Amino acid sequence: MGDKPIWEQIGSSFVQHYYQLFDADRTQLGAIYIDASCLTWEGQQFQGKAAIVEKLSSLPFQKIQHSITAQDHQPTPDSCILSMVVGQLKADDYQVLGFHQTFLLKSFQGAWVCTNEVFRLALHH
């Protein structure tokens, strides 16, 4: 991993950490957000660490497993990292579904946090 640009290393590490926490215990995700963070989940807007964790914790399934198909990371002009993830998830006994998720990461008080996040299932209506 040392031959990858630093933003790819940070982005990949964040993505791995995020999905490990999400799959194990969504209530622990608060550590990656700040009070100014924004989440758009299937078109619904949530702002602030508490609102985001409440939304993620209240999702209507008991267990979930994510499988990452691809991830791309870019540095932004203001020293943030834009990360896009494509993958599949399996929640409880439901069918496997595709998803897309985008994160904007910012260094904040010595740690990388998620300031913006957008999630969509890959459904075609």
Side-chain angles (χ1 to χ4, degrees):
M1 195 150 116
D3 58 342
K4 290 184 179 179
I6 188 68
W7 65 83
E8 285 191 18
Q9 294 176 41
I10 293 166
S12 293
S13 293
F14 176 87
V15 165
Q16 180 182 6
H17 180 67
Y18 176 88
Y19 291 110
Q20 283 175 341
L21 282 178
F22 199 107
D23 292 0
D25 183 0
R26 297 187 304 276
T27 64
Q28 299 301 309
L29 286 169
I32 67 165
Y33 299 105
I34 57 174
D35 289 334
S37 294
C38 294
L39 166 67
T40 301
W41 188 272
E42 290 289 318
Q44 290 184 296
Q45 302 277 337
F46 302 89
Q47 185 163 10
K49 179 191 296 198
I52 292 170
V53 172
E54 181 179 334
K55 171 60 179 174
L56 298 179
S57 298
S58 68
L59 292 169
F61 48 81
Q62 298 302 312
K63 63 180 183 171
I64 188 166
Q65 184 175 7
H66 289 85
S67 175
I68 305 307
T69 305
Q71 54 183 299
D72 297 296
H73 311 280
Q74 295 179 346
T76 68
D78 57 348
S79 301
C80 293
I81 299 170
L82 180 65
S83 296
M84 187 186 85
V85 177
V86 176
Q88 295 182 318
L89 59 83
K90 176 139 179 64
D92 292 337
D93 294 325
Y94 297 106
Q95 67 183 6
V96 173
L97 297 171
F99 74 93
H100 305 274
Q101 199 158 8
T102 303
F103 302 96
L104 185 63
L105 309 177
K106 181 172 182 64
S107 181
F108 181 77
Q109 297 179 347
W112 286 91
V113 297
C114 179
T115 59
N116 299 80
E117 178 180 352
V118 179
F119 173 88
R120 283 277 181 179
L121 290 171
L123 301 176
H124 303 282
H125 301 286

